[in-house]
Amino acid sequence: MGYAETLGGTRYVFADLKTLLARATPPRSGDRLAGIAAADMTERVAAQRALADLPLRRLIEDPVIPYEADEITRLISDTHDRGAFAPVAAMTVGELRDWLLSDAANTAALARLATGLTPEIVAAVSKIMRLQDLVSVAGKCRVVTRFRNTIGLDGRLSTRLQPNHPTDDVRGIAASILDGLMLGSGDAVIGINPATDSLDKYLELTRFLDRLRERLELPGQGCVLAHITMALAAIGRGAPVDLVFQSVAGTEAANRHFGIDLALLGEAREAALSLGRGTVGTNVMYFETGQGSALSAEAHHGVDQQTLEARAYAVARAFDPLLVNSVVGFIGPEYLFDGKEIMRAGLEDHFCGKLLGLPMGCDVCYTNHAEADQDDMDALLTLLGVAGCTYIMGVPGADDVMLSYQSSSFHDALYLRRLLGKRPAPEFEAWLERMGIADAAGRLIGPEHADIAAPVRQLLAALE
């Protein structure tokens, strides 16, 4: 079924839904690389106008990848909550945008709607929104998850403390963790990307994080971000695994490229739940995504990268995660060329994930060969903070020396918390006060005023 729009005396025809969605997408290098982007701004506006008039039901009835060909499409279709969808079922994409921006779409209404929305619906409406719209609507969404502390409460901003080391040296990792904890970082997770792909290293790092947590009586969770099969093997060896990590994508073929499918994700979640390690909740999964992953695996089926990113959130939603993170600028300039494209993508990802009911964080980042700099990241960081982003990364100096990319620092999180009046997760905030790192108002206590020797000794003792 084709779609058409006349603009400026020219009739534009879009062969199918995936073509319409691709042509309506704001500019990005990945879609240009795939040969599916609009030829010019006029064609893009024509596609956006046609998309605005599209009934939402069409996005459910006409999947961008056939039901028979893709298990993600089947997941989306089979789990769609038609009762939750009913209040907006008669709307077009443009009418949904107007409603989302209205006062009627408050936090409670958006929470009730989440399971009635599909990835294609939220991707479509994001394509006709300004950055201001994306920020405004996402800021009304509230998604709360729990494991050893509570993530996503109103007025809170959490961080993943990312203490990566190029040789997985435990003392080097510990130094970064100490730096982060002293600056109030780590309540979302202390998460290590291992440089070494081995079960022995995974076990060593996982056991170290657990000893450190116990020694510091830290109300948080640790995670070693290796492949999900590594976590399963470690659980089989009795390792103290808190969260199971996996990168996911929006097509079955792209997930096969990652070495996973929905059944494997379900198996890993059940294995993690069987350990019973959570104290305040049972959200045990941690997912990362990024626009362009399906295209880089040649598994995009001619669908634009932002729509596929939203489909990855359907995968995440099915497994009730503690954390979901768009690593927005990490895949490289072949997919998001410059700071402007990265900024747009980061706000789209956060908006789509939150509307679908996910605890969305964002790695505000770029690679060293992208046309971007830290000023671009400061702008995105601030916009995400206003939009109610659940968590950001905390990397020493904002420069990951193992993965060789630029992210956000511990001080960036302090900036956002101070600027917007946000605080860490409540259990973690209480721990900061108990350890003499922060006062009762949540303000960090400088070394010249506080006795930080005790937490330092405890951290070093955990290495013995």
Side-chain angles (χ1 to χ4, degrees):
M1 180 184 296
Y3 304 86
E5 181 73 22
T6 300
L7 187 64
T10 301
R11 182 172 173 80
Y12 294 89
V13 178
F14 310 100
D16 50 29
L17 181 58
K18 68 181 180 182
T19 301
L20 177 63
L21 289 168
R23 301 292 195 271
T25 305
R28 64 207 60 206
S29 54
D31 292 340
R32 295 191 291 272
L33 175 67
I36 60 175
D40 53 35
M41 287 301 295
T42 306
E43 184 185 20
R44 182 170 293 112
V45 170
Q48 289 172 336
R49 285 180 53 166
L51 186 59
D53 291 335
L54 186 72
L56 296 179
R57 289 187 181 278
R58 193 72 64 80
L59 290 153
I60 297 170
E61 297 164 355
D62 186 17
V64 294
I65 304 173
Y67 183 93
E68 300 77 14
D70 186 271
E71 71 170 355
I72 311 308
T73 300
R74 294 193 290 275
L75 171 70
I76 293 166
S77 177
D78 295 348
T79 61
H80 181 231
D81 185 342
R82 297 186 183 275
F85 178 60
V88 299
M91 292 184 184
T92 64
V93 173
E95 288 168 343
L96 177 62
R97 172 192 176 273
D98 293 344
W99 181 81
L100 289 171
L101 291 167
S102 74
D103 290 339
N106 56 28
T107 298
L110 292 172
R112 289 192 298 270
L113 180 63
T115 56
L117 296 175
T118 68
E120 288 82 0
I121 288 174
V122 298
V125 75
S126 76
K127 296 176 192 297
I128 61 169
M129 286 183 145
R130 301 164 55 189
L131 297 190
Q132 179 184 121
D133 299 340
L134 299 173
V135 170
S136 177
V137 176
K140 296 189 287 186
C141 296
R142 189 74 53 232
V143 182
V144 178
T145 56
R146 296 174 174 86
F147 187 73
R148 286 200 190 90
N149 56 28
T150 307
I151 307 295
L153 294 169
D154 191 22
R156 304 282 173 169
L157 173 70
S158 296
T159 60
R160 169 189 161 190
L161 202 171
Q162 185 170 308
N164 297 340
H165 191 278
T167 64
D168 288 334
D169 178 78
V170 175
R171 286 188 171 270
I173 290 169
S176 293
I177 293 174
L178 174 60
D179 187 18
L181 292 175
M182 290 295 101
L183 291 169
S185 185
D187 51 335
V189 65
I190 300 176
I192 305 168
N193 295 94
T196 309
D197 185 22
S198 77
L199 178 58
D200 286 344
K201 181 56 68 173
Y202 183 98
L203 291 167
E204 177 190 359
L205 294 178
T206 299
R207 288 166 178 158
F208 161 69
L209 287 176
D210 194 50
R211 291 199 310 272
L212 182 150
R213 177 190 61 80
E214 289 182 337
R215 191 66 60 92
L216 297 181
E217 299 180 344
L218 181 67
Q221 39 280 334
C223 183
V224 179
L225 282 70
H227 193 269
I228 198 166
T229 53
M230 194 79 74
L232 274 168
I235 291 171
R237 294 271 294 271
V241 174
D242 286 347
L243 305 183
V244 172
F245 166 81
Q246 183 57 47
S247 295
V248 295
T251 73
E252 179 180 346
N255 283 324
R256 280 203 306 268
H257 183 79
F258 286 150
I260 63 168
D261 58 18
L262 297 179
L264 181 62
L265 294 176
E267 179 186 350
R269 179 172 181 267
E270 290 304 312
L273 285 171
S274 73
L275 300 179
R277 293 178 57 78
T279 55
V280 298
T282 57
N283 300 112
V284 295
M285 303 299 285
Y286 174 16
F287 295 114
E288 285 190 352
T289 67
Q291 290 194 27
S293 58
L295 176 58
S296 67
E298 298 184 350
H300 61 104
H301 299 275
V303 182
D304 71 272
Q305 64 183 41
Q306 190 257 334
T307 299
L308 292 182
E309 173 72 2
R311 283 169 56 96
Y313 302 153
V315 176
R317 184 169 65 175
F319 299 99
D320 201 18
L322 180 76
L323 306 166
V324 180
N325 177 42
S326 167
V327 194
V328 64
F330 183 73
I331 299 181
E334 299 84 2
Y335 307 98
L336 296 169
F337 180 71
D338 57 15
K340 185 177 179 67
E341 291 188 6
I342 292 171
M343 187 179 306
R344 172 83 199 188
L347 293 172
E348 288 170 348
D349 294 350
H350 179 252
F351 164 89
C352 289
K354 279 292 186 64
L355 270 187
L356 291 169
L358 288 174
M360 286 301 296
C362 187
D363 191 343
V364 181
C365 64
Y366 64 101
T367 58
N368 291 316
H369 61 309
E371 292 294 323
D373 59 26
Q374 209 62 41
D375 284 344
D376 296 315
M377 298 304 103
D378 285 349
L380 176 56
L381 178 79
T382 304
L383 287 167
L384 284 167
V386 175
C389 189
T390 301
Y391 71 104
I392 62 170
M393 303 299 110
V395 178
D399 184 359
D400 193 302
V401 296
M402 193 278 278
L403 292 173
S404 297
Y405 80 116
Q406 310 305 310
S407 184
S408 51
S409 72
F410 307 133
H411 291 87
D412 291 329
L414 293 178
Y415 149 74
L416 267 191
R417 285 173 177 164
R418 289 168 180 162
L419 177 70
L420 301 174
K422 295 190 180 265
R423 299 166 75 158
E427 301 90 344
F428 187 81
E429 183 178 46
W431 178 84
L432 291 173
E433 182 182 357
R434 188 168 69 249
M435 299 297 285
I437 297 170
D439 63 19
R443 297 182 296 259
L444 294 185
I445 299 171
E448 67 277 18
H449 301 299
D451 178 13
I452 62 170
V456 171
R457 283 196 301 270
Q458 288 175 313
L459 182 60
L460 294 177
L463 296 175
E464 297 302 326

